[in-house]
Amino acid sequence: MSSTNRTFDGLRKTLRPSIKTWEYFVDWGKVFDNVREVEIALNKLNYLVGKPDLGEALEHALRDDPSVVRAFPLLIAVRDQTIDVFDQRTRSSQSLDFRHGRPEQAPLYMEFIKKSGLERLFGRDGVKNLVDYVMGVEVGLDTNGRKNRTGKKMEEIVGGILHDHAEARGLQVRSQMNAARIAHTWGIHVEVDKSSRSFDFAVFNPANDNLTLVETNFYNGGGSKLKSTCGEYRTLQRFLESQRITFVWVTDGKGWETTLRPLQEAFSEIPFLFNLQTLIDDGLEQIPW
């Protein structure tokens, strides 16, 4: 696609359904690190598995090492060491603290095991090994980070493209740059539309003192946020253009198919709006670095 053929239809047709890499699905390093932190406690709690008198076994485990209670929240997929629970029957709230176990609180912990359903987990028909079980819990908890992981992956991909382009042309690329960092790094004063504004990337050309600011995002699904983002970046384009600063917006994802009109309006106002494909094709050559 040549620069003279920059069209919205070309951008629309090359929207990607996904930028998922193999690392997107499970961060195994994080999973194994998290399990390792509680592995000793879990192995000690394995003593409870299959015991006919769970209450007695729990008292024995607490006398041996009260700190094993720190692993209890994770057994119900909770990372916090304090859990607040509302009891519908008594209409009262109760706060459970698992930071410091005490043997005399065995009845309280046993109540937690029963009411949370963990009693069945420790039963004869439950799990055989709590370490293996928590490994599965950690994998499940890790999937909660997939939404943020997509945004980070988009930044990583665009960052790689920018760094490759900059290296051959003597450009300087920095990530997560706000007005203060830009001023400190290159001595350029940037007026921003809001004090919290931070750009995903800033690219500086020391040969002509030109500054280019880049924002990136990827949308798997639609929603009102996409429309508001278009409005925000149209305003940002005008704001930066008045300061002779180049603004580049790289966005992608099939989520845009539900919000094409606002994206098309933004495309008509933002000269350097690309998706990954149009950026790679020749978008980098269009930008006046």
Side-chain angles (χ1 to χ4, degrees):
M1 182 185 296
S2 67
S3 60
T4 56
N5 290 329
R6 178 182 180 269
T7 64
F8 181 72
D9 195 49
L11 181 141
R12 178 186 63 80
K13 288 181 178 179
T14 54
L15 290 170
R16 294 173 186 262
S18 171
I19 54 171
K20 297 172 185 175
T21 60
W22 292 113
E23 295 80 8
Y24 167 85
F25 299 100
V26 179
D27 184 343
W28 287 107
K30 180 181 176 184
V31 167
F32 278 96
D33 285 345
N34 288 342
V35 172
R36 193 175 296 114
E37 289 182 4
V38 293
E39 188 173 0
I40 293 175
L42 292 172
N43 276 316
K44 290 183 177 180
L45 286 177
N46 273 333
Y47 170 74
L48 306 180
V49 174
K51 287 293 189 293
D53 191 334
L54 184 58
E56 181 182 355
L58 176 61
E59 290 181 12
H60 182 80
L62 289 173
R63 285 195 299 270
D64 178 68
D65 184 2
S67 69
V68 294
V69 300
R70 293 179 60 85
F72 277 150
L74 197 53
L75 298 180
I76 56 171
V78 174
R79 294 204 187 280
D80 297 332
Q81 287 293 292
T82 57
I83 300 176
D84 295 314
V85 181
F86 178 77
D87 190 313
Q88 287 184 305
R89 184 179 61 81
T90 63
R91 295 190 176 92
S92 62
S93 296
Q94 183 180 22
S95 183
L96 301 173
D97 189 342
F98 296 93
R99 292 172 296 180
H100 308 288
R102 294 195 294 273
E104 63 271 19
Q105 288 189 317
L108 178 64
Y109 301 129
M110 191 60 207
E111 181 183 18
F112 162 77
I113 288 174
K114 288 181 176 180
K115 290 185 175 180
S116 66
L118 286 176
E119 187 173 24
R120 187 169 182 178
L121 183 77
F122 286 111
R124 294 183 182 277
D125 297 327
V127 298
K128 304 304 179 186
N129 186 294
L130 291 175
V131 176
D132 294 341
Y133 166 78
V134 168
M135 186 75 72
V137 170
E138 283 290 348
V139 170
L141 290 173
D142 184 70
T143 62
N144 294 332
R146 286 181 179 173
K147 183 177 180 180
N148 291 335
R149 206 170 290 159
T150 299
K152 292 294 183 183
K153 180 55 65 176
M154 185 66 173
E155 287 184 32
E156 181 182 318
I157 293 171
V158 173
I161 294 171
L162 291 177
H163 279 284
D164 287 347
H165 185 77
E167 186 175 358
R169 292 162 179 77
L171 306 177
Q172 299 172 12
V173 182
R174 302 288 187 276
S175 61
Q176 300 304 318
M177 296 290 279
N178 57 23
R181 291 189 64 194
I182 291 171
H184 177 75
T185 305
W186 296 305
I188 298 177
H189 178 68
V190 179
E191 290 285 347
V192 290
D193 53 340
K194 54 185 180 181
S195 59
S196 61
R197 171 74 67 187
S198 178
F199 297 92
D200 291 330
F201 299 97
V203 184
F204 177 69
N205 188 342
N208 58 16
D209 291 336
N210 189 62
L211 179 67
T212 301
L213 299 175
V214 184
E215 287 281 32
T216 71
N217 38 51
F218 187 96
Y219 294 105
N220 289 306
S224 59
K225 180 174 174 58
L226 281 73
K227 183 177 180 179
S228 65
T229 299
C230 287
E232 176 187 351
Y233 286 172
R234 288 168 65 189
T235 300
L236 184 59
Q237 161 64 32
R238 294 189 290 267
F239 198 74
L240 293 175
E241 186 178 33
S242 67
Q243 302 174 64
R244 297 185 177 181
I245 295 173
T246 304
F247 175 57
V248 177
W249 180 19
V250 185
T251 190
D252 216 320
K254 290 293 188 179
W256 283 114
E257 292 182 345
T258 66
T259 321
L260 286 174
R261 178 64 66 83
L263 183 62
Q264 186 169 16
E265 292 172 352
F267 184 84
S268 67
E269 290 191 34
I270 302 175
F272 307 113
L273 194 167
F274 307 102
N275 63 19
L276 286 173
Q277 192 61 52
T278 57
L279 179 70
I280 293 168
D281 283 346
D282 82 333
L284 292 166
E285 301 303 327
Q286 297 179 34
I287 300 168
W289 306 104

